[in-house]
Amino acid sequence: MVHHATNEATANEASTTTQPPSYNPSQAPLVYKVGYPPQKNFTREFTDRLRETFFHDNPLRQHKDQSGSTKFMMGLQFMFPVFEWGRNYNFSKFKGDLIAGLTIASLCIPQDIGYSKLANLDPQYGLYSSFIPPLIYAAMGSSRDIAIGPVAVVSLLLGSLLQNEVDSIKNKEEYLRLAFTATFFAGITQATLGILRLGFLIEFLSHAAIVGFMGGTAITIALQQLKLVLGIRNFTKKTDIVSVMESVWGSVHHGWNWQTVVIGIAFLTFLLFAKYIGKKNKKLFWVPAIAPITSVILATLFVYITRADKQGVQIVNHIKKGINPSSIHKIYFTGPFVAKGFKIGVVCGMIGLTEAVAIGRTFAALKDYQLDGNKEMVALGTMNVVGSMTSCYITTGSFSRSAVNFMAGCQTPVSNVVMSTVVLLTLLVITPLFQYTPNAILGSIIISAVIGLVDYEAAILIWKVDKMDFIACMGAFFGVVFASVEIGLLIAVSISFAKILLQVTRPRTALLGNLPGTTIYRNTDQYPDARHVPGVLIVRVDSAIYFSNSNYVRERILRWLSDEEDKAKAEGLPKTNFLIIEMSPVIDIDTNGIHALEDLYKGLQKREIQLILSNPGSVVIEKLHSSKLTEHIGSNHIFLSVADAVRFCTSKSMQEP
């Protein structure tokens, strides 16, 4: 087959030649053919595709040409990064980790106590979850900055899903066992995704949906804390805003405790002011970090001295002293609760993964190092499996603590070890001192912590950039706020998948025109100066052509053709004799797509219009050749660029009488 082509630099028709497209074909300085890729056998092709799907980062490339002992050590370092960064660890790095660890410990202790209440668990379980899991992550995790522990969103989601299955008050022991079971399966899910290198699955929850889901969950969590800040004893178990506000205002005359309100509002104001100071001056990052523990100390002293608990101020009371007891015997491995625990664990585990990987990648980008998402999943999964056996509930990376960890100058995951050590000392020695801590201060700490999850700036940007993304964002947000966390999550996932399906089933197509003075052809909507070529219709398909969109692509091209023919009749322009399909963006095609092109070709033949293909990629041309479609269309009607195709069409038109 013979094709005329310009000396272009890219696969697209990116020539900047100043000659008009209608010059004589004999002037073309070079002649090229559309290339066919070297044929691969099925095994080779399947292996390459499998490798690219699951091992695109080629994790074993460093093992090449290494001795057996070196490979073993490198494998050990791969599974346990502590053996890699630990070799270069020194006192200077330890100083940074020590300061960072102590700082995040002061933040995590009051948060852990509060977050355990979101999960409807006793306070000690929040502290347990900041002791064992961070130690596991320090050995296996690859992020230098992420701080591990319970987080508000996962705690609320876990508590909400568990409460739907078992009442946390009437069946406290069953509820606790189901929590450990869910944590176990969350860890199994996370580790399995990492081992099988299926981390790309969490990418199906779009950024816009996450922004909306997190914002809605933050509002829900904050509203839930009103029962603590206002001292309401009989509060709704529902999480939607309507039920919560009905419960709040229905208790205004007889359910509010004014002493509790004073404590809650006063310390909430203090915490928000501390966050404002830290935001205004980055050097004062430690102010909002130590504000929660300072608030707890001051509020506890105030209640103890004034005995406000005798006036109706609800306090934490007893926190069980001692380190994590074993809970492996409490995990359900048989019976009806296994399926329930698995379902809850998978949902919470996926949300925890999404949050942790996003946080890890954010700080890795700031410090310019690579984060292996699959390795992170194995580390997070392992720590949750071990955590489920040591009385912990689901833990993941906390954005607020990780941000403080980063600002405090952490160097390695040792900051998590320092934090864990402080939590251990708290469990062994300090827990009795929390007896008089008012619940109101815990509610204030949680509100101040989650308020930052309402990222209105991101929502505004999403609105400006992509309206469909904004619908996903708002759908998730309102689903959480007005229905429940589960409904909001379902809406977020559904809209994310709907967007993917919409883009796959209804790909964009564009009408191309010639930019005057060049042989470049571009979208006429984007470039209004692009000129229509008389007698030639040029359409670009901006997607792979699969079974899900092949009929749409064919019908959309025919509609472009009908519109152009109507326009030509109205304006007295020449009849369309050639249809050029620019296939540079078509990265793949399946049998349905080939049949659609074949049907299009046959339909055009009846209308005496010649179908011409421009720049099909290696995968596409190989499949077209295998299906014999290239023989039907004709090898002389397949060109390397739109400019070549147009040159052919104009020369043919000039030859016709």
Side-chain angles (χ1 to χ4, degrees):
M1 63 189 152
V2 180
H3 307 291
H4 301 287
T6 58
N7 189 14
E8 300 172 38
T10 65
N12 292 335
E13 63 292 347
S15 171
T16 54
T17 306
T18 57
Q19 298 176 2
S22 59
Y23 68 86
N24 195 295
S26 62
Q27 294 177 318
L30 295 173
V31 177
Y32 287 106
K33 297 180 180 180
V34 173
Y36 288 86
Q39 283 194 344
K40 298 179 182 178
N41 60 48
F42 175 76
T43 304
R44 173 75 181 277
E45 186 176 1
F46 180 77
T47 303
D48 288 347
R49 180 62 65 89
L50 201 65
R51 185 186 299 114
E52 186 61 29
T53 301
F54 297 104
F55 302 97
H56 62 279
D57 54 347
N58 193 12
L60 301 178
R61 63 187 181 279
Q62 297 176 348
H63 293 243
K64 190 176 181 180
D65 301 327
Q66 300 291 337
S67 65
S69 59
T70 304
K71 286 182 179 180
F72 174 77
M73 193 61 196
M74 292 176 72
L76 200 61
Q77 291 174 357
F78 181 81
M79 289 302 300
F80 300 95
V82 63
F83 289 110
E84 183 177 359
W85 56 259
R87 293 183 303 171
N88 302 316
Y89 199 70
N90 53 44
F91 184 72
S92 175
K93 291 182 178 180
F94 177 70
K95 285 194 296 183
D97 288 334
L98 179 63
I99 294 171
L102 293 173
T103 306
I104 58 176
S106 67
L107 177 63
C108 87
I109 292 170
Q111 282 187 350
D112 290 345
I113 296 173
Y115 291 161
S116 62
K117 289 183 175 293
L118 289 177
N120 302 315
L121 296 169
D122 291 336
Q124 66 267 20
Y125 293 106
L127 294 173
Y128 291 160
S129 301
S130 279
F131 172 42
I132 298 293
L135 296 177
I136 304 296
Y137 183 84
M140 299 186 66
S142 56
S143 173
R144 305 171 194 168
D145 306 281
I146 199 168
I148 297 298
V151 296
V153 173
V154 176
S155 297
L156 178 66
L157 181 61
L158 178 66
S160 178
L161 294 174
L162 291 174
Q163 188 67 36
N164 291 340
E165 303 294 342
V166 181
D167 191 286
S168 60
I169 298 174
K170 296 179 181 177
N171 301 296
K172 190 172 182 178
E173 184 62 23
E174 284 185 357
Y175 184 92
L176 183 62
R177 293 188 65 183
L178 188 58
F180 294 149
T181 305
T183 302
F184 175 80
F185 283 113
I188 292 294
T189 300
Q190 293 169 336
T192 301
L193 289 176
I195 293 170
L196 298 180
R197 303 187 69 80
L198 297 174
F200 60 85
L201 292 177
I202 65 173
E203 307 293 346
F204 283 100
L205 195 60
S206 68
H207 170 70
I210 291 173
V211 169
F213 176 74
M214 290 294 188
T217 305
I219 297 294
T220 300
I221 291 171
L223 291 173
Q224 287 287 306
Q225 302 319 299
L226 292 177
K227 65 181 177 184
L228 302 181
V229 174
L230 302 177
I232 303 172
R233 293 182 181 274
N234 298 318
F235 200 77
T236 180
K237 292 183 179 179
K238 296 180 180 180
T239 60
D240 64 281
I241 189 171
V242 175
S243 300
V244 170
M245 296 313 296
E246 284 179 351
S247 187
V248 169
W249 294 114
S251 308
V252 66
H253 295 298
H254 58 275
W256 293 19
N257 180 274
W258 71 267
Q259 295 96 330
T260 303
V261 173
V262 170
I263 293 172
I265 299 299
F267 282 103
L268 178 59
T269 304
F270 168 70
L271 290 166
L272 294 176
F273 182 67
K275 288 190 75 171
Y276 174 78
I277 292 174
K279 191 174 182 180
K280 281 292 182 181
N281 190 341
K282 299 297 183 183
K283 293 182 179 179
L284 298 177
F285 68 89
W286 53 270
V287 173
I290 66 169
I293 196 67
T294 303
S295 300
V296 168
I297 293 171
L298 293 176
T300 302
L301 284 173
F302 176 78
V303 171
Y304 179 74
I305 293 170
T306 62
R307 294 315 304 266
D309 57 310
K310 301 293 185 182
Q311 305 299 319
V313 175
Q314 299 176 52
I315 58 176
V316 172
N317 283 317
H318 177 68
I319 298 181
K320 189 176 180 181
K321 191 176 178 181
I323 63 172
N324 306 35
S326 172
S327 58
I328 189 171
H329 60 284
K330 293 185 177 181
I331 299 174
Y332 288 111
F333 292 107
T334 57
F337 284 110
V338 175
K340 295 177 181 178
F342 176 77
K343 178 184 69 174
I344 296 170
V346 169
V347 173
C348 294
M350 293 292 282
I351 294 298
L353 267 185
T354 303
E355 187 171 358
V357 173
I359 293 169
R361 286 175 177 168
T362 299
F363 290 108
L366 291 174
K367 285 191 175 180
D368 194 26
Y369 66 89
Q370 293 294 321
L371 189 76
D372 188 331
N374 290 296
K375 193 188 298 184
E376 284 293 285
M377 293 175 190
V378 174
L380 293 166
T382 303
M383 77 180 190
N384 276 316
V385 170
V386 175
S388 69
M389 301 176 182
T390 52
S391 300
C392 305
Y393 73 94
I394 300 172
T395 53
T396 186
S398 165
F399 187 81
S400 59
R401 278 180 244 177
S402 298
V404 170
N405 198 29
F406 174 81
M407 295 295 294
C410 68
Q411 300 295 316
T412 68
V414 170
S415 59
N416 277 291
V417 178
V418 174
M419 178 192 71
S420 180
T421 304
V422 175
V423 172
L424 172 62
L425 293 174
T426 302
L427 285 167
L428 293 175
V429 181
I430 306 175
T431 47
L433 300 180
F434 289 110
Q435 180 177 348
Y436 289 98
T437 300
N439 288 337
I441 190 62
L442 300 178
S444 299
I445 289 171
I446 293 174
I447 292 173
S448 68
V450 301
I451 200 168
L453 294 176
V454 184
D455 196 348
Y456 64 90
E457 292 179 347
I460 293 172
L461 180 62
I462 290 169
W463 165 257
K464 292 179 179 178
V465 173
D466 192 322
K467 301 300 186 289
M468 187 65 187
D469 269 354
F470 185 76
I471 293 174
C473 179
M474 290 297 100
F477 177 83
F478 288 118
V480 173
V481 172
F482 286 98
S484 65
V485 177
E486 307 94 279
I487 296 297
L489 180 59
L490 181 62
I491 291 174
V493 173
S494 299
I495 294 179
S496 295
F497 270 102
K499 183 181 178 183
I500 294 172
L501 290 174
L502 184 63
Q503 291 176 339
V504 170
T505 59
R506 294 294 182 267
R508 296 181 186 276
T509 59
L511 203 61
L512 303 186
N514 173 242
L515 297 181
T518 73
T519 56
I520 298 174
Y521 292 81
R522 290 293 182 264
N523 188 343
T524 53
D525 286 337
Q526 185 179 0
Y527 298 92
D529 292 338
R531 298 182 305 188
H532 172 74
V533 180
V536 180
L537 178 66
I538 310 168
V539 179
R540 187 182 68 211
V541 179
D542 293 334
S543 167
I545 305 177
Y546 291 134
F547 66 93
S548 58
N549 62 24
S550 57
N551 283 330
Y552 171 79
V553 170
R554 179 176 58 82
E555 292 169 1
R556 187 67 184 90
I557 291 174
L558 289 173
R559 186 147 57 91
W560 279 119
L561 182 61
S562 298
D563 292 344
E564 285 301 306
E565 287 182 332
D566 292 342
K567 183 179 177 182
K569 278 184 182 179
E571 298 179 3
L573 297 174
K575 173 183 175 294
T576 300
N577 295 313
F578 301 94
L579 171 62
I580 301 174
I581 301 180
E582 156 66 317
M583 301 189 73
S584 298
V586 181
I587 59 172
D588 200 359
I589 191 169
D590 66 3
T591 52
N592 286 70
I594 292 172
H595 285 309
L597 285 181
E598 188 175 4
D599 291 342
L600 178 64
Y601 169 75
K602 291 177 180 177
L604 293 175
Q605 287 291 95
K606 294 176 182 178
R607 298 165 66 171
E608 297 183 348
I609 297 174
Q610 178 62 53
L611 175 64
I612 294 176
L613 304 182
S614 167
N615 196 27
S618 60
V619 173
V620 175
I621 192 64
E622 185 179 11
K623 291 184 178 180
L624 294 180
H625 180 69
S626 299
S627 67
K628 308 295 184 183
L629 185 59
T630 53
E631 295 179 10
H632 290 299
I633 296 175
S635 298
N636 60 328
H637 294 139
I638 302 175
F639 293 88
L640 188 62
S641 71
V642 173
D644 295 341
V646 170
R647 191 178 303 116
F648 170 82
C649 296
T650 52
S651 64
K652 279 286 185 182
S653 298
M654 291 172 63
Q655 292 172 10
E656 292 178 0

